[in-house]
Amino acid sequence: MAEVTLSNLSKSYGATRALKDVTMTIPDGAFVVLLGPTGAGKTTTLRLIAGLDRPDAGDVRISGQSVLRDTPAQRDVAMVFQQYSLYPHLSVRDNLAFPLRSPMIAMPEDQIARRVQEVAEVLRIPHKLDNKATALSGGEMQRVSIGRALVRNPRIYLMDEPLSSLDAKLRADLRVELKRIHQDLGATFLYVTHDQIEAMTMATHVGVLDHGRLVQFGTPREIYETPVSAYVASRLGQPHINLLPADAFGAPPPNAAQIGLRPEHIHIGEGVEAAISRIEHLGDQTRLHLTFGPHALVTLTDPHTPLQPGQTVRIRPHNPLWFDAAGNRI
Ligand code: ADP
């Protein structure tokens, strides 16, 4: 396991500047989640670390040593893509064993057999070991892809939305499993996801990318509670943070252009009158959709609420976040 440092990393594809001057340290044993919408530069970051692409400028260091001249194999990283990449003509067992048979690792066959069995059990595919890789469902193929990374003990695991093609139950199980692997092995992870829950539950640190720039790096709690901008604030939280004109509830602080209200920033019971337009019962949370004047917002309420659509409630902000005209937090 190892610390990975990116210094002033930049990469363009033709006229597209995919990554701009990114500096970030992934501490040894950390689980860093990269967040950002499509095109923000997340996959590019992983590819530059893995050695699948070369940066235009900047450096990638693993355990303090620059790896820019090293091949992907020499870098000793394991990468899992969103889309499974298996050897179709091989069995699941041989797909899982493949990385361990590489000349750089060359593990004895009896150890390989044990390791493959262990990983197959973690991923709940031991009964599929003798299947051809093509004789699997999409979810099973993706588990084999993850398994091919897990059989190894690389310096860092790079994962690009590895769970996004799986059904909700398996995703929840593997989330717990990956976190357990992280804790048990002390492994270092850099993990790309769009999934809030994955980010909040697995990450020790979150890096937020905006058009190729790293705009904030911190613990999930820091990113959630003290975002540097409305953009960062919008990356985490379900329901999404409500962004309204700063004067929606009365006089704002100087320079405020927007007020940001997460569900816990909305006090119900006094303040302005808002109409309930919709109530969504999601099981683990109940969402209250409100309108007042031209504004709409979403907050949470008690699952056993007696409130009904068409009724009104009074609301007021409680410790909201304020943003200036450029979207930066005040
Ligand atoms: P993300 O993973 O956050 O969706 P990417 O790192 O894949 O973002 O892409 C960042 C930007 O670089 C995007 O604008 C994307 O279109 C562009 N890009 C990535 N790879 C290539 C490539 N091989 N050729 C051309 N443009 C690319």
Side-chain angles (χ1 to χ4, degrees):
M1 295 305 130
E3 176 183 280
V4 178
T5 309
L6 313 180
S7 333
N8 306 105
L9 211 55
S10 294
K11 175 73 184 171
S12 293
Y13 296 99
T16 306
R17 296 189 62 193
L19 226 52
K20 297 171 196 161
D21 206 25
V22 167
T23 294
M24 173 166 78
T25 295
I26 301 151
D28 188 12
F31 197 121
V32 176
V33 166
L34 284 182
L35 290 180
T38 303
K42 305 181 298 295
T43 302
T44 302
T45 306
L46 299 190
R47 292 177 59 84
L48 293 179
I49 297 172
L52 302 175
D53 265 326
R54 286 188 62 80
D56 302 327
D59 199 6
V60 177
R61 289 196 301 278
I62 303 183
S63 298
Q65 300 284 320
S66 177
V67 294
L68 287 189
R69 289 171 201 283
D70 296 347
T71 63
Q74 288 167 332
R75 294 185 190 201
D76 190 21
V77 305
M79 186 150 173
V80 182
F81 300 94
Q82 187 175 4
Q83 211 47 39
Y84 31 88
S85 46
L86 303 179
Y87 297 106
H89 57 287
L90 296 183
S91 66
V92 168
R93 187 187 305 281
D94 287 336
N95 264 285
L96 290 173
F98 196 88
L100 303 178
R101 291 183 178 139
S102 85
M104 297 200 47
I105 300 182
M107 187 183 275
E109 282 296 325
D110 58 328
Q111 280 183 38
I112 291 180
R114 269 205 306 278
R115 189 76 195 115
V116 165
Q117 188 67 33
E118 272 170 25
V119 166
E121 277 167 20
V122 163
L123 297 169
R124 311 219 184 110
I125 44 173
H127 55 297
K128 301 281 179 174
L129 281 172
D130 295 313
N131 281 36
K132 276 267 168 60
T134 44
L136 297 174
S137 71
E140 288 163 349
M141 286 195 209
Q142 185 60 355
R143 276 181 277 169
V144 178
S145 300
I146 294 170
R148 289 203 331 176
L150 297 186
V151 291
R152 296 179 43 199
N153 192 12
R155 295 201 287 177
I156 182 169
Y157 291 102
L158 303 172
M159 298 201 173
D160 196 349
E161 304 210 38
L163 308 185
S164 62
S165 65
L166 304 176
D167 67 55
K169 166 85 171 71
L170 190 57
R171 212 157 59 217
D173 289 352
L174 284 181
R175 200 163 65 217
V176 173
E177 210 48 62
L178 286 176
K179 190 64 191 170
R180 188 182 65 72
I181 288 162
H182 169 243
Q183 282 165 344
D184 289 359
L185 300 182
T188 309
F189 280 77
L190 183 59
Y191 190 100
V192 169
T193 184
H194 275 103
D195 186 315
Q196 308 265 337
I197 300 176
E198 285 178 27
M200 290 300 280
T201 57
M202 297 201 288
T204 57
H205 306 73
V206 172
V208 181
L209 286 167
D210 181 9
H211 291 92
R213 289 189 192 282
L214 183 71
V215 289
Q216 192 168 357
F217 186 84
T219 64
R221 200 164 160 183
E222 282 164 358
I223 300 289
Y224 183 86
E225 291 179 1
T226 55
V228 298
S229 64
Y231 174 87
V232 171
S234 301
R235 299 295 118 211
L236 286 180
Q238 280 297 2
H240 208 250
I241 190 168
N242 298 282
L243 293 169
L244 302 181
D247 61 1
F249 295 91
N255 301 324
Q258 280 186 308
I259 181 171
L261 296 158
R262 296 198 186 277
E264 61 274 23
H265 297 149
I266 299 169
H267 177 87
I268 298 180
E270 57 191 82
V272 303
E273 199 165 80
I276 300 171
S277 54
R278 200 148 56 93
I279 299 180
E280 284 179 294
H281 294 281
L282 302 182
D284 61 339
Q285 56 170 241
T286 297
R287 295 188 183 174
L288 200 55
H289 294 251
L290 302 171
T291 56
F292 64 104
H295 311 299
L297 51 77
V298 184
T299 188
L300 295 174
T301 189
D302 170 13
H304 305 294
T305 182
L307 293 171
Q308 294 289 332
Q311 293 181 334
T312 58
V313 288
R314 288 190 176 275
I315 56 171
R316 71 170 166 76
H318 170 70
N319 290 335
L321 303 174
W322 298 100
F323 302 101
D324 68 16
N328 295 318
R329 193 156 64 85
I330 295 173

